Amino acid sequence: MQRRPIPLLLAALAISACTGQPAPSDRLAEAPASGPPAEMAVPAGQAAMDVQNLPVPDGDTVRYFVRNAEDGQARTLTDFWFGFPFELEGKHYYTGFAWDLSDEGPAGAGLGLSQATFVANPGDTRDPWKLLSAWRVGTVPDVLAPSELDGTRELKSFQTPSGDLLLAVPTVYSRGERRLRDFDLILFDPHLAHARNRQAWRYVGSLHAGQEGNPDCPARRAHPDCDDITGQLSFAMERGQDLPLLQVALTGPAATSKTTQFRYDGQAGQYQRATP
């Protein structure tokens, strides 16, 4: 699939993957790490802060550990997606995400996503990042190729009261002639990460968040497929709940002023549209 360049919004997070064979202990990219507060948004062009001057693992290193993950999944072909440096409870982490292109599921079943998560180990100059978890994240439904990062919107994260981290990744995908916007939701449990050989990250749903404008539409044409519509994501805590209520407000010429709410469904393990 031909990809468009990723704008500067995720420049501090996205690290290009290479095609050669990795040497995991040595292959490190000169990209710094940062840590979010309870809620964080990464704006365009913002550089991440150094974590004791430690370069984070590069795309080849991530792909190596993903292909050799001990979760029983065979992966012969992977595609590095992006890297996310963050801090929780005083610990500095780095997670690289990769798509499982070797998945052979039924049409429309979606595409598998995996991760390799590391914790900073500054006292060891030979191995400054210690691998914590390399495991499958889940299957993102209704995608036939790796999702495109949307550099026009912010990547947001939210730390829950229990210490988990919810990551909302802005993505764009094509459906016919339309390019639709989503937020892909991924949840990190640091307790499972430190337990090793566990699913530390889980895919917990996707939220519709508008569409890109169609430059081929005639000027002043009033048609819903032509307008640029962007969904603004916000978090709201609810009494007795660990995961926040998510709210998406659409903005644009054809957008309504209605805000759509999504609530985590523990039985389904996914965010679902909240009923009024």
Side-chain angles (χ1 to χ4, degrees), residues 75-95:
R75 300 176 183 86
T76 57
L77 182 62
T78 59
D79 185 15
F80 179 73
W81 192 21
F82 75 100
F84 179 59
F86 60 102
E87 179 184 350
L88 281 178
E89 305 298 333
K91 294 183 181 295
H92 296 279
Y93 298 90
Y94 175 79
T95 295

Side-chain angles (χ1 to χ4, degrees), residues 151-275:
T152 67
R153 292 178 290 145
E154 295 175 329
L155 183 151
K156 292 189 173 183
S157 64
F158 184 92
Q159 185 174 347
T160 72
S162 69
D164 292 355
L165 187 74
L166 180 63
L167 187 63
V169 184
T171 57
V172 179
Y173 65 97
S174 297
R175 178 169 294 174
E177 296 182 357
R178 303 175 66 189
R179 287 179 53 79
L180 304 180
R181 293 182 167 122
D182 268 2
F183 279 103
D184 289 339
L185 307 174
I186 315 172
L187 181 65
F188 176 66
D189 184 335
H191 304 96
L192 293 182
H194 285 275
R196 294 295 299 270
N197 297 332
R198 301 290 295 275
Q199 188 179 16
W201 287 90
R202 290 190 297 116
Y203 169 77
V204 292
S206 295
L207 312 180
H208 176 63
Q211 66 186 28
E212 290 187 351
N214 188 343
D216 296 328
C217 285
R220 297 183 299 278
R221 180 184 177 187
H223 191 280
D225 291 352
C226 297
D227 293 320
D228 190 286
I229 301 173
T230 300
Q232 303 296 328
L233 176 66
S234 60
F235 305 90
M237 287 305 302
E238 294 186 294
R239 184 184 299 273
Q241 302 296 320
D242 189 53
L243 288 172
L245 180 75
L246 303 182
Q247 302 178 105
V248 178
L250 298 180
T251 60
T256 65
S257 58
K258 182 178 179 181
T259 296
T260 305
Q261 296 183 330
F262 300 85
R263 182 176 287 111
Y264 182 73
D265 183 330
Q267 290 187 335
Q270 300 272 302
Y271 267 90
Q272 310 279 3
R273 186 187 295 267
T275 56

Side-chain angles (χ1 to χ4, degrees), residues 62-83:
V62 170
R63 292 170 59 237
Y64 173 87
F65 285 113
V66 163
R67 287 198 302 268
N68 292 277
E70 297 181 359
D71 56 6
Q73 301 288 330
R75 300 176 183 86
T76 57
L77 182 62
T78 59
D79 185 15
F80 179 73
W81 192 21
F82 75 100

